[in-house]
Amino acid sequence: MGRNCTSWSCVPGNDTDINSFYFYETEQFAILWALFGLIVVGNSGVLIALRCGHRRKSRMNFFIMQLALADLCVGLLSVLTDIIWRSTIAWNAGNTACKIVKFSQALVTYSSTYVLVALSIDRYYAIKYPMNLSGSWRRARVLVSMAWLLATVLSIPIAILYNERVIQGRLQCWIEFAEPWQWQVYMTLVATAIFVAPAFVISVCYALIVTTIWAKSKLFSIKPTNDDTRRASSRGIIPQAKVKTVKMTFIIVLAFVLCWSPYIVFDLLQVYGYIPRTQTNIAVASLIQSLAPLNSAANPLIYCLFSASKATR
């Protein structure tokens, strides 16, 4: 049985006359190398700036460093592996390496997403309780540890399901299910774990952040006296914080949704039978699925612009 397979999923199909490995080679290699360069250069730059810069140690910088580390690993373990796979159109490293590589790819992709979720939760507590500094660093470390632990747990099934198989005369690191409903369950669970649930939590956190700042800023909507200004500052109320948070919220949520939704929506439409299996659609699916790590290229820019340079906590 033929499969259209990338580092994340394979789409079932019974057509023996369709080449499952067909893709627009020149165009996709150009895109993949550009994506690889953006991820590696951008996230390496963030890590170097945070390690070698003179910014004081802050929880925001701690989260940004964790996110940049996860995103850098996405480039090295996911995008680079995808480039090598498309160059060889075969798997020559053995079954053990197949499982290790697929587990590692899933781990870094999940970790990138869940560190972003952990950051969102921490920012909510920082805005909701600006004067409650006791235990804040402990909370940050626990959130990051939980993000990596959850990513590890969710990656274990990937290592179990992928095996070395011969597909259309080529040895591949492949995942295979016998029935279409199994593919539907699998892709629905992946979509929920990597996109739907994190997007929901992130959206709720930043909605609460905006609501909290909006409510607190109303207390000072009338021009304050000098004493009011000092009291506001001591309680963590920053002028223009409402506008800045709205902007950051919009860009973070929008970037995450825009980067992941094409991959998720296309794969779900495929497994539920809404996209016909043709040679052209095989190539289109390959392109869309290879852009799944796009969020790892966008994250350095977003957090450098809105967080890293002026982190205060």
Side-chain angles (χ1 to χ4, degrees), residues 171-191:
L171 199 60
Q172 297 293 334
C173 183
W174 216 251
I175 183 173
E176 187 169 4
F177 294 118
E179 301 295 334
W181 68 265
Q182 294 174 315
W183 284 102
Q184 294 169 2
V185 171
Y186 169 75
M187 275 309 304
T188 300
L189 291 175
V190 169

Side-chain angles (χ1 to χ4, degrees), residues 34 73 102 135 210 233 257 260 298 311:
C73 291
K102 294 302 179 182
V210 172
S233 178
V257 171
W260 273 105

